[in-house]
Amino acid sequence: IGKNCLSAIIGCPGAGKSTVVNDTILNLLRNRVNVGLFSLEETEMQVYARFLTKATGVDYVSPSPPVMTPEHEDLFIELGQYLSVYDNHGCLDPEVLKNRIRQMKHHDKCQVVVVDTMSELMAGMGDKERIAIDKICSELKSLAIELQPISIILILHLVKGVEPGEVVNQSHIRGSGGFAQSCKQILAVERPVE
């Protein structure tokens, strides 16, 4: 993970972006690294349930999760000490994103911040989307430098028409010009077609 920069994780739906991100975050948490997660798709409780499920193998995500064991309660509390989740479900304002990243860095002492997913932030902008992407990419790149040391990881969707199994590259990123110029690292996750 690059420091003081933007990084991106890209891939087709079902390629394993979430698995890579979840495994990376869980490894960071286990190493007592403060991680911020700016979630545009899940509520805070859904995020914590997902990580508890990943850490224990017990399905806490199901509609009727089991009662937590004392050991799992301790793990839940430990995860909460190092994981700062901001549920931004329904609010797509880039200024809110930047201010929350600042808060995660200064107040929550986060060394890594993950934005899941940038595509949600840009949804519904129509013709203005490319201009908005270029602007927010530039601002997030500057923010990573301002807040150093910090790593900001963006989860990105691809343009329509990229098929599972197709070799993915930065030209497939939705709004690729801004992201390709602003991200120091771009990790493409692919799953072979069976």
Side-chain angles (χ1 to χ4, degrees):
I1 299 174
K3 288 194 175 182
N4 312 327
C5 69
L6 291 180
S7 300
I9 297 177
I10 64 172
C12 292
K17 294 182 302 290
S18 295
T19 300
V20 169
V21 169
N22 292 341
D23 287 348
T24 300
I25 291 173
L26 196 55
N27 282 333
L28 290 167
L29 295 174
R30 286 179 172 149
N31 286 296
R32 293 174 163 57
V33 174
N34 290 345
V35 178
L37 178 60
F38 192 88
S39 177
L40 293 164
E41 296 181 321
E42 295 179 302
T43 66
E44 184 176 359
M45 287 312 297
Q46 288 171 320
V47 170
Y48 280 110
R50 178 168 37 95
F51 281 108
L52 192 59
T53 296
K54 187 99 176 138
T56 64
V58 176
D59 185 4
Y60 287 105
V61 180
S62 73
S64 54
V67 174
M68 269 195 247
T69 65
E71 180 181 286
H72 290 178
E73 283 181 21
D74 291 344
L75 181 59
F76 183 79
I77 291 167
E78 185 176 340
L79 286 175
Q81 289 176 339
Y82 299 101
L83 179 61
S84 175
V85 177
Y86 185 64
D87 164 8
N88 201 44
H89 203 69
C91 178
L92 303 176
D93 183 351
E95 288 301 315
V96 172
L97 169 65
K98 292 186 312 185
N99 289 333
R100 183 56 184 163
I101 291 173
R102 281 187 183 95
Q103 181 180 352
M104 287 176 164
K105 172 62 179 171
H106 295 303
H107 181 266
D108 302 334
K109 308 296 184 216
C110 293
Q111 297 155 285
V112 177
V113 174
V114 177
V115 180
D116 186 10
T117 72
M118 282 300 292
S119 302
E120 293 295 319
L121 194 65
M122 301 301 157
M125 292 188 169
D127 295 339
K128 298 177 184 177
E129 181 177 295
R130 190 167 290 285
I131 294 167
I133 287 172
D134 288 346
K135 182 176 186 254
I136 192 69
C137 285
S138 175
E139 290 175 0
L140 287 175
K141 182 179 179 181
S142 296
L143 188 63
I145 294 167
E146 170 195 326
L147 298 176
Q148 60 183 305
I150 193 169
S151 299
I152 300 175
I153 302 170
L154 310 175
I155 302 172
L156 305 175
H157 288 171
L158 304 178
V159 294
K160 293 188 185 324
V162 180
E163 298 295 325
E166 187 175 337
V167 176
V168 176
N169 63 53
Q170 67 185 26
S171 69
H172 294 125
I173 302 171
R174 185 171 160 189
S176 61
F179 290 119
Q181 290 173 11
S182 298
C183 291
K184 186 175 182 179
Q185 302 168 322
I186 299 174
L187 172 68
V189 180
E190 300 174 0
R191 176 173 291 169
V193 176
E194 296 177 17

